[in-house]
Amino acid sequence: SQTIHQWPATLVQPVGSPLSLECTVEGTSNPNLYWYRQAAGRGLQLLFYSVGIGQISSEVPQNLSASRPQDRQFILSSKKLLLSDSGFYLCAWSVGRGKATNEKLFFGSGTQLSVL
Amino acid sequence: SQELEQSPQSLIVQEGKNLTINCTSSKTLYGLYWYKQKYGEGLIFLMMLQKGGEEKSHEKITAKLDEKKQQSSLHITASQPSHAGIYLCGAVLRAQKLVFGQGTRLTINP
């Protein structure tokens, strides 16, 4: 069966520090991978998605970047965190068909990031 | 502005009462998803609707997609404390990517 792991669960970082959140998927090959951010009262905002290794699409301009060094690994990064980067970050995957699809998403347990 | 509008944004009901959450789009919905999120956790898939007029049920939760495929409703019958959480609708609106509404926070009072 497929599983998705996301860590850390919580993170407190000072402004200006770097960030690295990691997400891995097991039990499937070539999944589509997604990073969402959830801010209070604003639902889920799609940040990045990837349909393959090294293929990253960015949805909104921001202080963050994403990378996919391996088929089932998705990393969210920042060189210098801003206060506005605080939020709940969710990684998700769906069955990959070489393009972004409307397949059901499976979510990780999330990372609560507080930038102070 | 939100591409998907959910209403209400928060809801407090007494245990045993029925409730409805709505999700509205200005565009035709191709695939409407309902998820539930417990506070500070990931999302749990509830149901997916694709056809206009489609209705699905799981235990005491029923979701419908209207004929014009621009609105969906989630109805909970005889609510229980286990129903508490945040309900999010998601839809494929553009470029085959799933976007979400802002969520409805449901509280069940005993």
Side-chain angles (χ1 to χ4, degrees):
Chain A
S1 62
Q2 301 88 3
T3 56
I4 178 169
H5 302 281
Q6 187 181 340
W7 68 92
T10 59
L11 191 59
V12 181
Q13 292 284 95
V15 171
S17 64
L19 172 73
S20 181
L21 301 182
E22 190 163 343
C23 174
T24 58
V25 180
E26 296 178 357
T28 187
S29 296
N30 195 31
N32 289 341
L33 297 172
Y34 305 81
W35 277 111
Y36 284 87
R37 177 168 58 200
Q38 186 176 33
R42 297 188 62 184
L44 289 174
Q45 180 186 33
L46 179 61
L47 302 176
F48 300 95
Y49 73 94
S50 171
V51 298
I53 295 175
Q55 300 179 58
I56 308 294
S57 295
S58 175
E59 281 295 290
V60 293
Q62 57 202 316
N63 185 43
L64 302 169
S65 62
S67 61
R68 185 171 178 173
Q70 300 180 38
D71 180 45
R72 291 170 290 178
Q73 183 184 31
F74 206 23
I75 298 172
L76 185 68
S77 304
S78 174
K79 292 182 179 179
K80 291 185 178 181
L81 283 169
L82 305 173
L83 287 174
S84 57
D85 291 325
S86 294
F88 191 60
Y89 289 82
L90 285 156
C91 179
W93 74 274
S94 66
V95 174
R97 303 187 192 281
K99 60 178 180 179
T101 73
N102 61 350
E103 295 279 356
K104 181 172 66 176
L105 293 180
F106 299 89
F107 286 85
S109 53
T111 297
Q112 183 64 54
L113 173 64
S114 299
V115 182
L116 306 178
Chain B
S1 63
Q2 290 285 139
E3 293 178 277
L4 285 178
E5 290 285 344
Q6 279 186 243
S7 61
Q9 293 190 24
S10 65
L11 189 57
I12 302 174
V13 300
Q14 191 171 2
E15 183 177 352
K17 297 294 185 182
N18 302 336
L19 63 103
T20 299
I21 299 169
N22 293 306
C23 177
T24 303
S25 170
S26 59
K27 302 176 183 177
T28 300
L29 300 170
Y30 299 102
L32 190 287
Y33 300 76
W34 283 100
Y35 284 85
K36 180 187 174 184
Q37 181 184 29
K38 291 187 178 180
Y39 305 118
E41 299 182 9
L43 276 66
I44 300 170
F45 172 79
L46 295 176
M47 279 171 275
M48 181 181 76
L49 306 166
Q50 288 187 302
K51 300 177 182 178
E54 186 174 10
E55 178 177 322
K56 288 188 177 179
S57 294
H58 176 67
E59 298 180 344
K60 293 185 178 180
I61 301 176
T62 301
K64 301 178 184 180
L65 182 61
D66 79 355
E67 292 289 344
K68 295 182 180 179
K69 297 178 66 177
Q70 288 189 283
Q71 184 176 36
S72 178
S73 60
L74 185 82
H75 185 76
I76 298 178
T77 304
S79 58
Q80 301 170 354
S82 60
H83 289 130
I86 300 172
Y87 290 81
L88 294 111
C89 64
V92 179
L93 292 180
R94 52 181 172 79
Q96 297 180 301
K97 292 184 290 292
L98 195 63
V99 296
F100 287 87
Q102 73 272 44
T104 296
R105 185 179 294 265
L106 174 63
T107 302
I108 307 295
N109 285 337

